[in-house]
Amino acid sequence: VTGEIVSCPHCRTQLEVAGRLRGALLNCTKCGRVVEVPGLRDPLWLLLRLAALALGLSLVWLLEPHWGPWGAAAAGAGTVALLWLLSRAL
Ligand SMILES: [Zn+2]
């Protein structure tokens, strides 16, 4: 399980949290105050990523006749990567 580092907004302590805790609330190990883990809650986050993947694949399928297989694949991969990064930033 890949953890994420979240810094406590109250005392700046770096807290390592499991990736699946995105969007959850937890207590800081140092000051005990509530820290919100940035990110969407798990099912929605997963759905967004699946949607990004579907959008990328449909883009490849749509653009393939015009752009050729490699151009369309690159456009699709770019879209997936962009939406992936966007979903991480949320
Ligand atoms: Zn703290």
Side-chain angles (χ1 to χ4, degrees):
V1 179
T2 51
E4 299 211 12
I5 302 296
V6 178
S7 86
C8 173
H10 312 290
C11 70
R12 301 282 158 207
T13 298
Q14 303 274 295
L15 304 165
E16 194 182 343
V17 295
R20 62 189 161 80
L21 286 176
R22 287 172 75 95
L25 295 173
L26 54 93
N27 289 94
C28 174
T29 51
K30 194 175 180 185
C31 70
R33 294 175 79 174
V34 174
V35 179
E36 191 180 349
V37 181
L40 300 173
R41 286 177 197 282
D42 204 39
L44 196 63
W45 190 46
L46 194 70
L47 204 71
L48 197 69
R49 290 190 164 188
L50 283 174
L53 197 68
L55 192 70
L57 285 174
S58 59
L59 209 68
V60 170
W61 183 75
L62 278 170
L63 292 175
E64 204 272 334
H66 313 288
W67 289 22
W70 294 111
T79 305
V80 171
L82 199 73
L83 287 170
W84 194 279
L85 284 171
L86 200 71
S87 75
R88 280 197 66 86
L90 286 170

